[in-house]
Structure formats: C-alpha cells, structure tokens
Amino acid sequence: MIRCISCGAEYDDDEIIYTCECGSILEVVTEVDNIPKETFDNRRDNIWKYKEFLPVNAENRISLDEGGTPFCKCDKIGEELGIELFVKVEGSNPTGSFKDRGMSVGTTKAVDLGVNMVGCASTGNTSASLSAYAARAGLKCAVLLPAGKVALGKLAQAMFHGAKVFGVDGNFDDALETITELALNGELYLLNSINPYRLEGQKTIGMEVVHDLGWKSPDRIVLPVGNAGNISAIWKGITEFQDAGYIKDTPMMTGIQAVNSAPIANAVKAGTDEVTPVENPETIATAIRIGAPVSSVKAMRAIKESNGTADTVTDDEILDAQKYLARTEGIGVEPASAASIAGLRKLVENGEIDQGERVVCIVTGHVLKDPNVAIEACEEPTQVASDPNEIRKVLQTM
Ligand code: F0G
C-alpha cells in the first residue's frame, strides 16, 4: 500500500501514481511480520538481504548486486576532529552511486507493473543508474539532463548503457517538471525519487549502517542533500528498524547543501518548516545543484523528528574536503559527496557536533564520476624521460 504523508490517503500497490490528490507526496507502507534480526546475518551482503522490508517480490528482482557497500572507520580524520568517524562509501555500488539501491527496487516495480518505458530527470547519477538497470530489465529509457551541467562520467554512463539522452535547456528543476508531465500523461514510468519505490531501495543505507554497527545507532548521520530523497529514505529505514525493535536509539539526521543551492538548510536555519525554492541554484557539486527539492517535506520531517540539523558549505570547502578525504583516508568521492565531510568539519568547528560523537558520513558517489573536477584540482603529471636518474631527482625533493 502507498500512503500520502500529509493527508493519509491510501492507494493500491498497482496504481501508477506519484503524488496524492491533495498535492502532497507519497510513501510506501512497509508491513513486516516479526522477524528476528539474526535472519539478516548470514545472507549475501546486498540490499536484498532485507527483502522482507522491500515492497516488491525479491524473486523477480532486477539487480546488479547493489548495496553492502564499504563501511570504513576513519581514525585519522576522526582523531583530528575529536569524534569517532565512519564513512559509508556508496561510490562502490555497481554504477558508482547510491542511486543503484533505488533503481534496483524501482525497475523491479516497473517490470511488475508491466510498463515498457522508464524515465527520469537527473543531475547525472540517477540517469547513469537508471540507464544501466533499464538495460538489465529490458526496458526503454529516456533521461533528461540539464545541458552542459552534468559531470562527464555520469553522462558517459547514461549514453553507454543505451538510454535516449536529452540535454535540456534549463536546470534540473525544469527538467524534472517536464519529465513529470510526460509521466503523468502515461508516456513513461517516472523513476525520480518522487516515486516512493525508489526510496524503498535507498532506505537500506540506514539499515546497513545500524547493522554494521552491531545493531546500534550512530549519534549522527551526515549526508549531502539535493532533491532530498536520500535523507528521507535513510530515516525511513532507520525508523523501520527501530519499530521492529532491532535498535533503540536513532541518529540525528544532518543534511548538507551547497550554499547557493540550499533551500532546506535555509529553512532549518530560519527555524521554519516552509521550504522556499532557490531560483537559480549554482554549485560546482553539480549532483546537488537543485533549487526545488521534491522530497522537502519528508526531509524536514526527518531532520525534525531526529533532532538533526542542516547546514551549508561553500564550493571551496567542498573541494578542500574532497581532497582531504582522498589524501588522508584514500577514499575518492565526487564533489557532492564531499559536502558531507565539509559539513562535518564545519559543524565540529562551530560546536554543533560534540566531541566524542559517533558520526557516519555517507559519501554518495565515486570520484571518477567527475574526472574534470578531480584533474583540475591537481598538479599536472611531471613529464620526464623514462630514465631512473631523472625520476630519482624528483623523488628526492618529496
Ligand atoms: N550525492 C550525489 C552524488 C547525488 O547524485 C545526489 C543526487 C545527491 C547526493 C543528493 O541526493 O537528491 O536524494 O538529496 N542526485 C540526483 C541525480 C538528483 O539526478 O542524480 P538527494
């Protein structure tokens, strides 16, 4: 069953619907019998480990073995900041971002519904993921991208896996509006995160975090926020595990946005629940260059219920954090993902995060997604003859 998060109206599972008649957004109601948590211990480490919590038939899944991503304790950064830090590396998913979790469940649902074409608007990763999963499912796929504003790796993936790729004149918010119109007209099945089945896949991030911590909640989860689906999904996963009695406490959900694309952080700072869209969002972290997040109501609820917060970081802080994580802990992430580390540093500095807190940062996409940003941040390779003496001279200066 699907339910409206505002008026509580209920809809059948086989109805193709993206928003409630009241205009608000929907969520899947998870109905799970009493399952001992040990059930999940000896299963293959992917999202389907928690199949009882997923609203599609796992037997028919469209899967690339997504989920079960690395959970790295980062003692060097942790000690520097005076906290206990874990980093969940979502770039290790099959197409290099957390979107694969959602697309696995989303395309499984699409096949179940009998549609033949799926589509999305995207800042890049959603399209890369959908294009791959649609290929695996044998579905036609159309993706709308803000022209000139999608990182090269993501564009290459969307094109290579065979989606029909459109570069639209406008930003992500414009592209989403356009593809939604096609979806509402029944011309394709929309797999942006307004589709509640997408978020069901992504909620497994929260489930894995508490499972990996030995059925304990961290004090806080910090993650980048764009369209606001992921923070909502992770909170849903966490609360479902709390309702099932697997964990007692819950983490403070902490969303980080780029300063000129920050409608949610602006609302949190202003102390209001009203999220005012940002007209012309801008940031080097193109993945989160979004001004009108569709899941803002869910995200604000997650932040409030969890006693969490949201904050902003500048592009310089993002780029600095991206390099810091790569060179201190060996974890390569794309700029949007580094927003979580940049935000973590800022919140520790201003005392919002207490010393000794156990914090999990979700890094959402792989460094190779945006090779241009990575290359521009570095020195060019030193050109030398293939001669040990020449190389030795340079090595001695290191
Ligand atoms: N990090 C990365 C790498 C992303 O690609 C996105 C969103 C986010 C964070 C933010 O997640 O939207 O759930 O708040 N990318 C979408 C896309 C919008 O089209 O690929 P969110």
Side-chain angles (χ1 to χ4, degrees):
M1 182 178 49
I2 312 170
R3 189 165 57 204
C4 172
I5 67 157
S6 299
C7 75
E10 292 175 354
Y11 300 90
D12 280 346
D13 286 328
D14 54 6
E15 214 170 321
I16 297 185
I17 180 166
Y18 307 103
T19 50
C20 180
E21 277 157 20
C22 81
S24 191
I25 50 178
L26 306 166
E27 68 179 0
V28 175
V29 179
T30 309
E31 285 150 307
V32 184
D33 297 332
N34 273 336
I35 304 168
K37 59 184 187 301
E38 292 70 28
T39 312
F40 311 115
D41 281 341
N42 294 315
R43 291 182 176 173
R44 187 168 171 82
D45 203 3
N46 60 35
I47 68 164
W48 298 94
K49 184 165 57 172
Y50 308 116
K51 63 183 178 187
E52 288 83 355
F53 284 82
L54 298 176
V56 288
N57 184 353
E59 299 282 306
N60 304 329
R61 63 184 176 254
I62 308 297
S63 173
L64 292 163
D65 211 21
E66 53 292 316
T69 50
F71 191 60
C72 299
K73 191 150 185 282
C74 289
D75 287 338
K76 285 195 266 181
I77 296 182
E79 274 166 29
E80 210 169 304
L81 298 178
I83 58 166
E84 188 184 6
L85 176 64
F86 293 85
V87 170
K88 183 132 180 89
V89 187
E90 288 297 293
S92 293
N93 276 298
T95 76
S97 84
F98 68 96
K99 307 287 180 179
D100 295 340
R101 298 173 183 268
M103 286 310 174
S104 180
V105 174
T107 51
T108 300
K109 184 68 189 176
V111 171
D112 184 40
L113 288 167
V115 304
N116 67 13
M117 180 159 337
V118 290
C120 68
S122 180
T123 57
N125 282 321
T126 295
S127 68
S129 183
L130 181 56
S131 186
Y133 281 84
R136 194 156 171 87
L139 295 165
K140 291 186 217 167
C141 176
V143 308
L144 268 57
L145 307 176
K149 292 289 184 183
V150 172
L152 210 60
K154 307 172 189 182
L155 183 61
Q157 289 177 292
M159 291 163 62
F160 201 69
H161 288 295
K164 175 65 201 165
V165 178
F166 296 92
V168 304
D169 192 10
N171 61 30
F172 169 82
D173 305 301
D174 301 320
L176 184 58
E177 215 178 297
T178 303
I179 194 101
T180 302
E181 210 175 303
L182 291 164
L184 291 176
N185 207 29
E187 291 164 86
L188 50 81
Y189 183 60
L190 186 63
L191 276 169
N192 279 101
S193 57
I194 194 162
N195 183 324
Y197 288 95
R198 261 277 307 279
L199 299 187
E200 290 301 294
Q202 289 172 212
K203 76 184 179 185
T204 57
I205 297 176
M207 295 172 159
E208 284 178 15
V209 165
V210 299
H211 193 170
D212 281 345
L213 287 173
W215 301 109
K216 285 204 176 67
S217 167
D219 295 314
R220 186 183 298 273
I221 292 180
V222 185
L223 75 159
V225 171
N227 215 14
N230 210 30
I231 191 169
S232 314
I234 293 174
W235 180 240
K236 189 169 191 279
I238 296 268
T239 50
E240 285 178 6
F241 269 13
Q242 186 190 35
D243 292 346
Y246 303 159
I247 52 168
K248 282 211 278 298
D249 301 323
T250 57
M252 292 175 270
M253 298 302 297
T254 302
I256 309 296
Q257 297 197 292
V259 69
N260 291 321
S261 309
I264 288 175
N266 293 345
V268 169
K269 284 185 192 178
T272 167
D273 287 342
E274 285 299 311
V275 175
T276 310
V278 170
E279 278 298 325
N280 294 303
E282 221 25 280
T283 168
I284 193 159
T286 50
I288 51 172
R289 185 176 169 272
I290 293 174
V294 293
S295 295
S296 57
V297 178
K298 285 183 184 173
M300 291 301 287
R301 207 170 275 185
I303 290 168
K304 207 168 182 176
E305 283 176 11
S306 71
N307 201 20
T309 188
D311 210 332
T312 58
V313 289
T314 65
D315 282 0
D316 284 346
E317 288 167 337
I318 288 174
L319 293 176
D320 198 51
Q322 186 191 18
K323 215 179 222 180
Y324 175 58
L325 182 64
R327 296 189 174 189
T328 311
E329 302 284 2
I331 300 172
V333 303
E334 66 168 284
S337 314
S340 64
I341 302 294
L344 170 71
R345 281 168 128 178
K346 185 172 173 187
L347 292 169
V348 168
E349 266 162 36
N350 67 20
E352 183 93 23
I353 293 182
D354 293 332
Q355 291 294 293
E357 266 191 30
R358 178 180 264 195
V359 180
V360 174
C361 277
I362 313 294
V363 292
T364 43
H366 199 280
V367 63
L368 290 176
K369 290 284 191 170
D370 197 339
N372 295 339
V373 164
I375 287 170
E376 273 161 33
C378 300
E379 256 179 56
E380 299 249 316
T382 307
Q383 295 299 325
V384 287
S386 190
D387 171 355
N389 287 325
E390 289 239 354
I391 291 169
R392 196 171 295 123
K393 266 189 269 167
V394 178
L395 294 185
Q396 281 163 358
T397 67
M398 281 173 70

